[in-house]
Amino acid sequence: MAAARILLIVGGGIAAYKACELVRLIRRAGAEVTCVLTDAGAQFVTPMSLAALSGQPVHTSLWNPQDEAEIGHIQLSRAADLVVVCPATADLLAKMTAGIADDLATTLLLATDKPVLAVPAMNVRMWSHAATRRNIAWLRESGVSVMEPDHGPMACGEFGPGRLPDPEAIWRAVEARLAGIPAIGLAGQPGSDERRTPLSGKHVLVTAGPTHERIDPVRYLANRSSGKQGFAIAAAAADAGARVTLVAGPVALPTPPGVERVDVESAAEMAQAVAAALPADAAVMVAAVADWRIADPADEKIKKQGGAPPALALAENPDILASLAAGPQRPRLLVGFAAETHDVLAHAQRKLAVKGADWIIANDVSGDVMGGDANAVHLVSGAGVESWERASKQAVAARLVDRIAAALAAEPADG
Ligand code: CTP
């Protein structure tokens, strides 16, 4: 079993110093790392620091005759098991999207045939700019893993999403990504050829959490979903080697390692994010999507005006699961959830038929399930009902992911 080899592209941003710590963590785990530093990156860290920490020459220019004679940039892009871009600046992400190759880093990214993990870090406004949103959506669609940045105070004095995650969290994402690649390993850990990665090469889409439906700028309709079960399923699928897209409603949960998270608020945004994440081999729709939204949300805060309270007119939200089932890009396996307070199995069987899902995972939420850590579920399918004993949400997730892997493996190749 060969040691994992990582090509680390260090872009230009104040967070570049954290790439040095990442190099240390990679080597501590027994993997090899070769660094490529962009011109902008070299404004923040020196080739000398990266060379000393990685124990390898650092590559900085496309126009280095010695490098080109000894390795060649195509070779450099292919010798690695995984390419990590950290920090991935808005500029690097844009060039990756456009296929621009105007320096060593971008040329390697265009030439590589290996999986790529991008770890963005940038100013909050650059992160939320429509161009960056579009680029990230496109990169994810094309198979690039893009980590979500952390929220918090930024070097520029602003606050919000855009901070580079901690090197430890980045390392866990790297490790999860490596786990999906056969026949490489990390010292002191079982190699991925020995690890169980039955979803390797598969894309699993998970929705989780509640949705918030806007009433006015300060109020919304919501439900009690905590997102815990959906996040546990996303984590278990990533652990099983899948590429996982997790479309999350508003919840305060950390992103599981190796999972690509897309945060949304409303059902309409969730429907859009789900459509953008396709195609997928399996979709597990755990989110408690609001059935209704406010037909005409107010642009300004609604004031008490004496007399009768305002009447809120509701409009029905799109059924994301049913649309996915009926759409042209239906995943091979479509799993819905049904949270019920009574007649659990009867409702689940009806939903299986009405929504066009392959399985419905039904649970009784009349007790402490919502927000709690345990769940007792029934797997309802065309083949009948299986009732699983009450277990932690992680254990339910692991069991479901095993079943998903078995079902996908059983599908005919052209299924
Ligand atoms: N779902 C969805 N889009 C919606 C509503 C629900 O994708 N607008 C999905 C949920 O993610 C879940 C399944 O459908 O996987 C069942 O959701 P549930 O809210 O229980 O079903 P409803 O259709 O809302 O049925 P009811 O209100 O009658 O319980």
Side-chain angles (χ1 to χ4, degrees):
M1 184 178 62
R5 289 163 306 178
I6 290 160
L7 183 69
L8 175 63
I9 294 176
V10 180
I14 186 66
Y17 74 94
K18 292 189 191 169
C20 297
E21 176 63 8
L22 179 63
V23 170
R24 211 179 57 74
L25 294 173
I26 293 171
R27 292 204 69 203
R28 195 177 68 184
E32 288 171 17
V33 52
T34 303
C35 297
V36 169
L37 189 57
T38 65
D39 283 350
Q43 301 294 320
F44 296 91
V45 291
T46 66
M48 189 61 82
S49 331
L50 291 171
L53 287 164
S54 67
Q56 305 267 358
V58 171
H59 305 271
T60 53
S61 169
L62 196 51
W63 312 117
N64 179 336
Q66 195 185 337
D67 258 12
E68 209 47 34
E70 285 172 6
I71 329 170
H73 61 266
I74 301 284
Q75 176 56 16
L76 199 53
S77 77
R78 307 245 168 112
D81 298 302
L82 175 68
V83 179
V84 179
V85 189
C86 174
T89 58
D91 177 61
L92 269 175
L93 294 168
K95 285 180 172 161
M96 285 167 76
T97 308
I100 291 173
D102 63 354
D103 66 0
L104 180 62
T106 49
T107 304
L108 293 176
L109 284 162
L110 196 60
T112 191
D113 58 354
K114 294 297 160 48
V116 177
L117 169 69
V119 193
M122 65 194 72
N123 166 272
V124 55
R125 291 191 198 287
M126 292 167 83
W127 173 251
S128 50
H129 194 283
T132 307
R133 309 309 318 146
R134 179 200 57 206
N135 294 342
I136 287 174
W138 188 87
L139 287 167
R140 283 179 169 154
E141 223 171 282
S142 318
V144 172
S145 303
V146 184
M147 270 186 92
E148 283 294 309
D150 277 357
H151 289 238
M154 318 200 68
C156 53
E158 291 185 75
F159 189 93
R163 283 164 57 96
L164 196 80
D166 282 340
E168 292 276 356
I170 302 172
W171 165 244
R172 285 197 298 276
V174 169
E175 209 180 8
R177 202 68 188 77
L178 286 172
I181 305 169
I184 57 152
L186 300 170
Q189 294 181 20
S192 57
D193 44 352
E194 294 150 32
R195 276 159 87 149
R196 291 194 60 252
T197 54
L199 284 177
S200 167
K202 299 283 190 276
H203 180 208
V204 176
L205 169 63
V206 181
T207 66
T211 63
H212 285 183
E213 307 299 327
R214 180 188 156 111
I215 297 173
D216 68 15
V218 298
R219 304 181 179 95
Y220 55 81
L221 290 180
N223 60 63
R224 290 185 189 279
S225 168
S226 66
K228 285 181 186 173
Q229 185 63 80
F231 273 60
I233 291 167
D239 256 9
R243 176 164 84 82
V244 180
T245 306
L246 171 61
V247 179
V251 290
L253 291 174
T255 309
V259 165
E260 289 156 30
R261 172 174 178 172
V262 183
D263 284 313
V264 297
E265 286 224 356
S266 63
E269 283 175 25
M270 186 170 276
Q272 264 181 15
V274 164
L278 296 174
D281 297 284
V284 191
M285 316 300 278
V286 197
V289 184
D291 290 319
W292 304 284
R293 64 179 181 280
I294 304 296
D296 189 15
D299 290 333
E300 293 177 346
K301 186 180 169 195
I302 301 172
K303 304 297 289 176
K304 284 194 296 292
Q305 280 164 341
L312 297 176
L314 300 178
E316 192 160 339
N317 272 329
D319 191 314
I320 304 168
L321 173 58
S323 323
L324 202 52
Q329 288 189 290
R330 185 193 197 279
R332 277 193 279 157
L333 183 68
L334 192 50
V335 184
F337 266 65
E340 308 291 350
T341 54
H342 58 282
D343 298 332
V344 176
L345 292 180
H347 284 310
Q349 260 143 354
R350 186 187 55 79
K351 282 180 190 174
L352 185 70
V354 170
K355 297 196 179 232
D358 299 302
W359 303 343
I360 291 283
I361 306 298
N363 59 356
D364 185 340
V365 292
S366 54
D368 60 357
V369 167
M370 282 197 143
D373 292 318
N375 209 354
V377 305
H378 311 272
L379 190 160
V380 181
S381 71
V385 177
E386 265 178 49
S387 296
W388 297 356
E389 68 280 5
R390 186 179 163 89
S392 71
K393 288 184 173 172
Q394 280 73 21
V396 170
R399 190 165 174 180
L400 179 61
V401 163
D402 273 354
R403 293 297 297 270
I404 291 172
L408 289 182
E411 289 274 341
D414 61 353

